[in-house]
């Protein structure tokens, strides 16, 4: 595959060597596109791929060596992500665990929890489902109603209620989310960060089919599910603060390294070379999509610099999320427009095996998950631009 | 790619910003538009004390020999404050073109701020900006550089820009590659000025909607208002890395530098356009008047949309590089 996005010019020799090693390993091991991870067959293949990644120590490059990582710097991590996407390697079934939960476990987990959960989530043997949303609480996490009631006798908590849009739940091993442990406390207070197994009595997982037809998420019903104290993450009643650091991760850098968009922009240019002559009116959109991916790459390096200098993402994560989610949509919509009437075909026989339409369907979710773009715009307007909060109009978090 | 500004660049920026913030540039801009160039030229002299016109003049000719990133820092601020005059022409373009020609003796004056050059370039800048306020007027074509005579002034959409057709005299050849490099630097400086204009229009709009009341509320409380300004902020935050990245590529003479410059010009100009549209909408009717300062940036950004390579031409250049490089 051709790379139209130049590599950073100021990489050190060891960063270049890291890139070369990653590229070489991926070239030798990458299975390419796998069947959807939200199917029985696909989930098994994705788990196996996680195991292969772990064997090569590429599963969690930024983690400490004791948990299978390489202690890669932020720069190296971005380099790895670039190589990963440019190689067209599979999506990561372990992402919920690695990106969303692990930072919390590192920061708030007990040594025992770290020992029990971290290593298995790096090799595909422990796949996590995130369980943030509830039917009545979408982006408004403070509106969570699912409850955890104290059970002193057994030394733990009894969960009841319902979660929804729980990604990976149909094929995962455990879940994590917030539960209300103090119903009297104010919205943000009285929440506790719980983890729970998905295969115990009292838990019902009802797969929900997404626009792409796969059971990518599920409803989870909790009917007096016992969770021991050992499975509570962080302090009781401290769930909001604990969770917010993952929400920041999800909206910000960790979820969307630039490689994904750079690779899609490269594929779009290939498609333009093939089909552009029939659709000259799409030229500007092709160019703008590429420029957008390039802007995202450069912005990310700026963020890496800022974080390396001791800064934090803060509300910039919302700027980031707004940009990539809109860019992702536009990249894929442009590709579909280039494909013309064939764009609606899916599966074998479709152009590129239907990958453009599949990826487009995935991109449609971008402005919705990880905090809707409306919530993100409120955050940007209020926290970054300093516009006034209206009465009863709080910007999410 | 690492392009955080260093301490020196940050203090250079804050010196320019401080000077311009205290100079009532909107009044200077309006005077310039009305034909009174004296305050604008005085401002030129004060910016010269900070070294702005000396940036691209080589050290051996009395200049600073600064990097394209330094240039970007300066032009974002000139754009943000709406400084009038042939700055892009004099600072970004002229020094590169004049070097190694019989006009090289002008470089020292350019660096000092006593020489102000403007120029028309065949096919890309058909009129010389503010020839009446410049000390030297040139015409440039691939065949070379010529001293030129300015004709009758023509009005621009931006009242602070006067455009002059020129008649060229005898040509002297340019150094190899000088024209291409000068045009890239001009497009980069234009992109930086557009980022500055976008930033200013966003700030102006944020300030306005924070105090303007309608239906019993500050209008900044309305989501429709918030969301539109948030989108401008997002665009602005992604325009700057493109401009800074292009500056680094130019400095390193990377083979993809022209593509990076064009990408920056496209994105920065579109950002300024959307910032202008949003700011105008937020202001309502008052924004549609010349007495509102917003007009300074709104009309300037429209003029710069087509200056030093139209957005359409730069888009075409990006795609051309991408498709031929593959």
């Amino acid at each position: 595959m051709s790379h139209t996005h130049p590599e950073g010019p100021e990489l050190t020799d060891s960063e270049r060597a890291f890139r070369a090693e990653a590229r070489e390993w991926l070239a030798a091991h990458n299975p390419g596109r796998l069947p959807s991870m939200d199917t029985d067959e696909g989930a098994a293949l994705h788990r196996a791929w996680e195991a292969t990644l772990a064997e090569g120590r590429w599963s969690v490059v930024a983690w400490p060596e004791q948990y299978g990582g390489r202690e890669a710097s932020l720069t190296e991590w971005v380099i790895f992500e670039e190589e990963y996407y440019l190689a067209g390697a599979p999506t990561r079934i372990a992402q919920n665990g690695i990106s969303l939960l692990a930072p919390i476990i590192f920061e708030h987990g007990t040594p025992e929890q770290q020992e029990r959960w971290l290593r298995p989530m790096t090799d595909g043997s422990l796949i996590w489902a995130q369980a943030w949303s509830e039917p009545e609480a979408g982006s408004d996490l403070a509106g969570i109603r699912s409850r955890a009631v104290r059970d002193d006798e057994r030394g733990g908590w009894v969960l009841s209620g319902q979660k929804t849009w729980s990604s990976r739940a149909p094929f995962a091993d455990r879940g994590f989310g917030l539960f209300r442990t103090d119903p009297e406390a104010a919205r943000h207070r009285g929440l506790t960060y719980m983890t729970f197994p998905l295969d115990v009595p009292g838990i019902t997982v009802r797969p929900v089919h997404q626009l792409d037809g796969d059971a990518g998420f599920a409803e989870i019903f909790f009917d007096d599910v016992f969770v021991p104290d050992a499975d509570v993450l962080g302090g009781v009643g401290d769930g909001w603060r604990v969770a917010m650091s993952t929400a920041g991760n999800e909206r910000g850098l960790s979820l969307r390294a630039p490689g994904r968009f750079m690779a899609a922009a490269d594929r779009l240019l290939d498609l333009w070379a093939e089909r552009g002559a029939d659709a000259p009116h799409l030229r500007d959109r092709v160019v703008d999509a590429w420029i957008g991916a390039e802007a995202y790459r450069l912005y990310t390096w700026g963020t890496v610099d800022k974080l390396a200098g001791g800064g934090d993402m803060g509300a910039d994560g919302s700027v980031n999320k707004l940009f990539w989610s809109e860019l992702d949509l536009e990249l894929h919509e442009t590709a579909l427009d280039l494909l013309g009437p064939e764009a609606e075909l899916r599966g074998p026989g479709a152009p590129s095996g239907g990958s453009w339409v599949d990826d487009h369907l995935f991109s449609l979710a971008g402005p919705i998950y990880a905090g809707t773009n409306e919530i993100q715009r409120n955050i940007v307007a209020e926290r970054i631009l300093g516009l006034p909060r209206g009465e009863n109009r709080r910007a999410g978090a | 790619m690492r392009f955080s500004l260093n301490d020196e660049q940050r203090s250079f920026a804050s010196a320019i910003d401080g000077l311009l913030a205290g100079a009532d540039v909107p009044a200077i801009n309006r005077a310039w538009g009305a034909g009174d160039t004296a305050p604008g030229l005085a401002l030129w002299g004060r910016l010269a004390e900070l070294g702005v016109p000396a940036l691209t003049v080589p050290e051996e000719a009395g200049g600073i020999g600064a990097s394209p990133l330094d240039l970007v820092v300066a032009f974002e601020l000139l754009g943000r404050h709406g400084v009038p005059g042939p700055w892009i022409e004099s600072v970004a373009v002229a020094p590169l073109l004049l070097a190694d020609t019989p006009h090289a003796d002008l470089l020292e004056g350019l660096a000092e701020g006593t020489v102000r050059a403007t120029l028309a370039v065949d096919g890309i800048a058909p009129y010389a900006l503010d020839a009446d306020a410049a000390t030297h007027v040139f015409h440039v074509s691939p065949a070379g550089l010529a001293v030129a005579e300015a004709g009758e002034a023509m009005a621009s959409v931006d009242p602070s820009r006067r455009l002059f057709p020129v008649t060229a005299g005898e040509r002297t050849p340019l150094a190899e590659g000088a024209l291409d490099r000068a045009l890239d630097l001009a497009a980069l400086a234009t992109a930086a000025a557009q980022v500055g204009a976008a930033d200013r229009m966003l700030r102006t709009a944020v300030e306005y909607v924070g105090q303007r009341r309608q239906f019993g509320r500050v209008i900044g409380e309305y989501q429709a208002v918030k969301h539109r300004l948030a989108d401008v902020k997002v665009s602005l935050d992604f325009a700057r890395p493109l401009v800074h990245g292009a500056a680094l590529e130019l400095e390193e003479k990377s083979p993809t530098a022209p593509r990076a410059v064009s990408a920056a010009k496209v994105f920065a100009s579109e950002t300024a356009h959307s910032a202008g549209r949003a700011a105008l909408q937020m202001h309502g009717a008052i924004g549609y008047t010349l007495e509102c300062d917003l007009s300074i940036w709104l009309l300037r950004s429209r003029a710069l949309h087509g200056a030093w390579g139209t957005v359409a031409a730069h888009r075409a250049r990006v795609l051309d590089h991408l498709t031929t490089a593959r």
Side-chain angles (χ1 to χ4, degrees), chain A residues 204-284:
Chain A
T204 308
V205 176
R206 187 182 80 83
V208 177
H209 293 267
Q210 303 179 150
L211 281 185
D212 62 7
D214 294 331
F217 41 46
E219 291 177 303
I220 307 177
F221 299 90
F222 300 84
D223 189 8
D224 293 338
V225 177
F226 177 73
V227 167
D229 285 333
D231 288 359
V232 174
L233 253 176
V236 171
D238 204 20
W240 178 259
R241 194 177 61 84
V242 171
M244 277 306 103
S245 50
T246 46
N249 274 334
E250 191 182 14
R251 287 165 193 177
L253 190 66
S254 73
L255 188 62
R256 288 292 168 251
R260 171 182 162 78
F261 311 108
M262 289 157 61
D266 276 359
R267 285 197 298 274
L268 181 63
L269 285 168
D270 288 336
L271 193 62
W272 169 258
E274 238 172 73
R275 308 233 178 184
D278 298 330
H281 60 286
L282 295 174
R283 191 190 69 162
D284 285 0

